[in-house]
């Protein structure tokens, strides 16, 4: 794990994908400052190349400078969208491996989570800077706890689709669409023996089926110790309905796995986006009353 933060430490904020202006980030900046942290604004904030926060080389350079800067203890993605996969192969992680720091975000940042978790380094699946103004108090508090190394433990109400069981293992995953898109690349996470977290946004239901079938058929699911399904938000259907919602689709595909599975975990593209420490070992238990997730 990277070193946890303490008051006086510096966090860098940058854009690895879509463009964003500085004014929009003020609630997130003020949040960090309220915790006694200093903030460095990346060169990508305010930059623009069509949808993206500057050209690929500019976004890659901004990220490279921040991971190589010893003063910066954590890097917080300002916004998601799409574009992080276009820069990950431009980054030299050699200094980062020697002195890792927290990389924070979700959604499109899943590319970085997966790539860095493959180095046996932990990352924070948490709110973006842009999310600070709308996130629930619970989401913000779990982000603070994770950053400062305080105890992180979840007790989530039972869902009807849950499969009971208990497992211990490394937590990996993130956005299903992004994980699907990097299968076969060096950024793809080896899921064998791991506990997999998945969430997604604004996908057609048959896309969810297609992506989950890919994970099943390529063997990724059979070696898992557990599965946690987060927010499956704002899903779309065709004129002729698929016939099942996203959770029913996933339930049908994982039903033969003899592992604990939890649904409706509060993480993903929702206001109550609670922080998960990816790359860290967890105790995961699903029983008739609740889902328990403890970070070791």
């Amino acid at each position: 794990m990277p070193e946890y933060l303490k008051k006086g430490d510096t966090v860098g904020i940058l854009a690895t994908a879509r463009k964003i202006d500085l004014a929009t980030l003020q609630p997130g900046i003020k949040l960090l400052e309220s915790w006694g942290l200093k903030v460095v604004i990346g060169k990508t904030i305010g930059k623009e190349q069509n949808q993206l926060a500057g050209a690929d080389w500019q976004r890659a350079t901004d990220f490279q400078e921040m991971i190589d800067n010893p003063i910066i203890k954590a890097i917080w993605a300002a916004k998601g969208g799409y574009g992080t996969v276009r820069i990950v192969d431009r980054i030299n992680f050699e200094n980062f491996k020697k002195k890792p720091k927290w990389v924070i975000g979700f959604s499109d940042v899943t590319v970085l989570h997966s790539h860095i978790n493959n180095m046996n380094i932990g990352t924070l699946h948490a709110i973006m800077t842009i999310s600070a103004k709308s996130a629930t108090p619970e989401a913000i508090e779990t982000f603070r706890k994770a950053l400062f190394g305080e105890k992180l433990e979840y007790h989530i109400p039972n869902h009807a689709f849950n499969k009971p069981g208990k497992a211990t293992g490394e937590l990996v995953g993130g956005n299903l669409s992004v994980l699907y898109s990097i299968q076969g690349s060096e950024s793809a996470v080896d899921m064998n023996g791991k506990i997999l977290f998945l969430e997604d946004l604004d996908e057609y239901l048959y896309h969810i089926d297609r992506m989950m079938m890919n994970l099943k058929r390529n063997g990724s699911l059979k070696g898992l110790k557990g599965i946690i399904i987060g927010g499956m938000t704002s899903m779309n259907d065709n004129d002729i309905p698929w016939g099942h919602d996203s959770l029913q689709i996933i339930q049908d595909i994982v039903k033969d796995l003899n592992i604990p599975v939890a649904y409706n975990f509060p993480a993903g593209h929702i206001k109550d986006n609670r922080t998960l420490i990816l790359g860290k070992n967890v105790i995961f238990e699903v029983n008739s009353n609740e889902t328990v997730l403890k970070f070791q």
Side-chain angles (χ1 to χ4, degrees), residues 219-235:
S220 295
L221 299 182
K222 66 182 180 182
L224 287 174
K225 287 186 173 181
I227 300 174
I228 301 171
I229 304 299
M232 289 286 167
T233 312
S234 301
M235 293 292 147

Side-chain angles (χ1 to χ4, degrees), residues 64 67-68 87-97:
Q64 187 74 60
I67 64 172
D68 290 341
I87 70 170
V88 66
D89 292 327
R90 294 172 177 255
I91 308 300
N92 183 335
F93 286 94
E94 289 310 307
N95 289 335
F96 180 82
K97 290 177 185 176

Side-chain angles (χ1 to χ4, degrees), residues 275-288:
T275 299
L276 298 170
I277 308 174
L278 300 181
K280 192 171 179 64
N281 281 338
V282 296
I283 298 171
F284 173 48
E285 181 179 0
V286 181
N287 59 49
S288 58

Side-chain angles (χ1 to χ4, degrees), residues 27 29 47 53 86 122 134-135 141 175 191 199-200 232 234 251:
I29 294 168
K47 274 205 167 48
R86 296 184 58 85
S134 58
E141 177 61 7
N175 183 267
M191 299 179 192
E199 63 84 29
D200 219 325
M232 289 286 167
S234 301
Q251 182 196 33

